[in-house]
């Protein structure tokens, strides 16, 4: 069932007040849900627990804010279809979300001036209107796209991951690298990245335990580190690059791969890792004065944070004059790029990144 389109602009002042009151709004929705005498809400909280509820509400806010800031409501729609599918797979009656939306509306109305709250609450009217459609669309699992000629190999690698067959996984990688001219980066692009997405999806849909998800992720990390060794030496004549995730990203394997790829293309690279504060990230860039900055988001909830960092870096060319590349799964919704203003380039994959690097030379 097709979900209706939302084409609507929230004024900058309303969005700013929504941002300023974010903590109070999230906390008040959290408290209201915990004290509400509603059976569906009670069962929902009992299933996921109070800690996960709070994190879920914070993630919800970040998605709504990012969608409004970038004016990309496909991001909003994609998130709620995902949310319905995840919690439905855990036995939650997703009709509880209707009550949650009403609570968001009520809290926002009490927290902001009426002229500002009415603009934000149009988003929640949209969610309520499309509730039944979200439920239907959530039944369709998003297909992980793999090149057809590698589908059989992908299935074998996935089987090894899910069953902890480490030696066989290594053998499959070694035996099939020649299909990619022994280029590990191409192998990662065509097979490792889709494998990572598939494992994450299985975990989200409650089809894979947390323990197995961690084991699979660790094995992927180990294999990548084995083939991409630290054999590049710093050279003062090379251009400098900084790589980092943005916001509260937990996984940094993807940006680590990008860093090694940049090293193989002649850059001295400093990887700042993950969960670095915006202030620390920006100050590091100002201090190190790199020629290139690559920032990645896996979670779409961090898109707004990425936009704000890029905007600040580009606001004063006396402090930073290099190029900014953005990328990561969080920037792509239904194969469409969420544009980040002021960024010099948005990279879909390593091949895409290589083409941009050639333009710099």
């Amino acid at each position: 069932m097709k979900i209706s389109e939302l084409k609507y602009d929230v004024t900058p002042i309303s969005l700013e007040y929504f941002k300023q009151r974010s903590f109070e709004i999230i906390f008040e929705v959290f408290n209201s849900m915990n004290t509400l005498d509603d059976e569906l809400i009670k069962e929902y909280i009992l299933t996921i627990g109070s800690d996960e509820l709070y994190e879920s509400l914070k993630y919800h806010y970040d998605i709504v804010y990012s969608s409004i800031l970038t004016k990309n409501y496909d991001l909003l729609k994609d998130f709620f279809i995902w949310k319905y599918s995840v919690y439905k797979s855990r036995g939650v009656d997703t009709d509880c979300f209707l009550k949650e939306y009403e609570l968001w509306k009520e809290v926002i109305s009490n927290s902001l001036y009426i002229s500002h709250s009415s603009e934000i609450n149009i988003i929640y009217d949209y969610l309520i209107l499309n509730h039944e459609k979200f439920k239907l669309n959530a039944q369709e699992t998003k297909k992980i796209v793999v090149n057809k000629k590698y589908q059989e190999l992908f299935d074998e690698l996935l089987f090894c991951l899910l069953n902890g067959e480490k030696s066989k996984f290594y053998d499959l990688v070694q035996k099939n690298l020649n299909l990619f001219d022994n280029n590990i980066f191409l192998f990662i692009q065509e097979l490792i990245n889709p494998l990572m997405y598939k494992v994450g999806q299985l975990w989200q849909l409650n089809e894979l335990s947390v323990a197995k998800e961690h084991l699979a992720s660790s094995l992927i990390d180990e294999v990548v580190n084995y083939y991409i060794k630290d054999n590049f030496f710093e050279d003062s004549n090379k251009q400098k690059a900084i790589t980092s995730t943005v916001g509260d990203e937990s996984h940094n394997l993807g940006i680590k791969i990008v860093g090694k790829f940049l090293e193989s293309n002649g850059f001295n690279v400093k990887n700042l890792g993950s969960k670095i504060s915006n202030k620390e990230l920006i100050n590091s860039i100002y201090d190190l004065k790199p020629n290139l900055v690559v920032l990645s988001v896996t979670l779409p909830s961090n898109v707004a944070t990425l936009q704000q960092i890029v905007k600040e870096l580009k606001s004063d060319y006396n402090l930073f004059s290099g190029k900014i590349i953005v990328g990561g799964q969080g920037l792509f919704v239904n194969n469409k790029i969420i544009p980040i203003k002021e960024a010099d380039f948005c990279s879909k994959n390593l091949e895409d990144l290589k083409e941009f690097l050639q333009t710099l030379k």
Side-chain angles (χ1 to χ4, degrees):
M1 184 181 291
K2 188 174 182 181
I3 297 170
S4 60
E5 297 298 318
L6 179 63
K7 295 181 179 179
Y8 176 68
D9 287 348
V10 175
T11 55
I13 187 65
S14 295
L15 185 58
E16 181 59 28
Y17 278 117
F18 186 48
K19 179 184 177 183
Q20 289 177 7
R21 301 300 303 277
S22 61
F23 177 78
E24 293 93 331
I25 290 171
I26 295 166
F27 192 70
E28 188 57 38
V29 174
F30 174 76
N31 280 339
S32 297
M33 290 184 71
N34 273 296
T35 57
L36 192 68
D37 188 20
D38 181 279
E39 288 306 315
L40 289 182
I41 293 292
K42 286 179 178 178
E43 289 176 15
Y44 174 44
I45 297 173
L46 186 64
T47 300
I48 70 172
S50 287
D51 288 346
E52 184 176 333
L53 173 65
Y54 185 81
E55 291 303 316
S56 174
L57 294 175
K58 185 179 180 301
Y59 196 93
H60 168 120
Y61 170 86
D62 289 340
I63 287 288
V64 171
Y65 181 79
S66 292
S67 297
I68 297 172
L69 182 70
T70 60
K71 299 179 183 179
N72 189 305
Y73 295 105
D74 282 341
L75 176 61
L76 187 80
K77 183 167 59 177
D78 197 61
F79 164 72
F80 281 98
I81 292 173
W82 170 85
K83 179 177 178 177
Y84 278 64
S85 66
V86 167
Y87 286 113
K88 184 177 182 297
S89 71
R90 294 174 64 177
V92 171
D93 186 335
T94 54
D95 283 341
C96 69
F97 296 145
L98 278 174
K99 191 62 184 178
E100 183 189 320
Y101 302 149
E102 292 291 353
L103 287 173
W104 279 97
K105 286 186 66 176
E106 182 181 334
V107 171
I108 289 168
S109 295
N110 292 336
S111 303
L112 306 177
Y113 294 118
I114 188 169
S115 58
H116 302 142
S117 64
S118 60
E119 289 189 29
I120 302 296
N121 279 337
I122 286 177
I123 303 292
Y124 291 93
D125 291 332
Y126 166 83
L127 296 177
I128 292 167
L129 176 66
N130 287 282
H131 171 70
E132 293 298 331
K133 294 177 183 177
F134 286 137
K135 286 170 65 175
L136 287 173
N137 280 267
Q139 296 174 14
E140 301 175 10
T141 303
K142 186 180 287 188
K143 185 175 176 61
I144 305 297
V145 179
V146 181
N147 189 317
K148 288 182 179 179
K149 62 183 178 180
Y150 306 131
Q151 185 64 57
E152 186 177 342
L153 176 57
F154 174 86
D155 292 339
E156 289 184 84
L157 289 167
L158 181 62
F159 180 85
C160 292
L161 272 182
L162 300 183
N163 291 279
E165 296 188 11
K166 182 176 175 179
S167 297
K168 188 175 180 183
F169 190 92
Y170 266 96
D171 288 343
L172 285 170
V173 174
Q174 187 63 47
K175 289 176 182 176
N176 290 282
L177 261 179
N178 64 308
L179 298 175
F180 305 88
D181 297 323
N182 292 313
N183 186 330
I184 188 61
F185 293 110
L186 283 178
F187 190 93
I188 288 169
Q189 182 173 295
E190 294 290 343
L191 287 166
I192 296 296
N193 286 341
L195 281 169
M196 291 165 65
Y197 298 152
K198 184 63 179 179
V199 168
Q201 183 185 73
L202 290 171
W203 171 75
Q204 289 167 356
L205 296 176
N206 208 31
E207 296 176 21
L208 191 67
S209 69
V210 174
K212 281 197 171 185
E213 188 272 338
H214 285 329
L215 285 172
S217 298
S218 296
L219 178 52
I220 289 175
D221 189 66
E222 185 180 315
V223 170
V224 169
N225 285 331
Y226 176 80
Y227 282 99
I228 307 177
K229 296 182 174 64
D230 294 318
N231 53 6
F232 301 103
F233 297 95
E234 191 163 316
D235 182 345
S236 60
N237 294 319
K238 291 181 179 180
Q239 294 192 84
K240 292 188 291 185
I242 281 181
T243 60
S244 181
T245 61
V246 165
D248 56 353
E249 303 280 346
S250 297
H251 300 289
N252 63 0
L253 177 59
I255 198 67
K256 186 190 297 183
I257 291 168
V258 170
K260 296 302 180 185
F261 183 77
L262 289 173
E263 287 179 338
S264 72
N265 279 272
F267 284 84
N268 285 328
V269 178
K270 182 169 181 59
N271 181 12
L272 299 182
S274 58
K275 291 197 173 181
I276 182 172
S277 72
N278 294 0
K279 185 176 180 180
E280 287 178 299
L281 173 58
I282 290 168
N283 286 342
S284 294
I285 292 169
Y286 288 159
D287 290 342
L288 295 170
K289 295 180 174 57
N291 306 96
L292 187 69
V293 171
V294 183
L295 303 174
S296 172
V297 287
T298 303
L299 302 174
S301 57
N302 286 322
V303 168
T305 302
L306 176 63
Q307 175 68 80
Q308 290 158 356
I309 290 172
V310 173
K311 184 177 181 180
E312 182 164 347
L313 287 172
K314 287 292 189 176
S315 65
D316 192 337
Y317 286 92
N318 293 320
L319 294 176
F320 175 70
S321 58
K323 300 291 185 182
I324 299 177
I325 297 174
V326 296
Q329 185 185 5
L331 282 181
F332 295 88
V333 182
N334 298 325
N335 294 319
K336 294 179 183 177
I337 299 173
I338 299 173
I340 299 298
K341 295 177 183 176
E342 289 96 17
D344 294 290
F345 186 66
C346 182
S347 176
K348 298 177 185 177
N349 50 44
L350 294 177
E351 185 178 348
D352 207 27
L353 175 57
K354 186 173 183 178
E355 289 181 9
F356 179 75
L357 294 179
Q358 289 172 344
T359 67
L360 298 181
K361 295 177 182 179

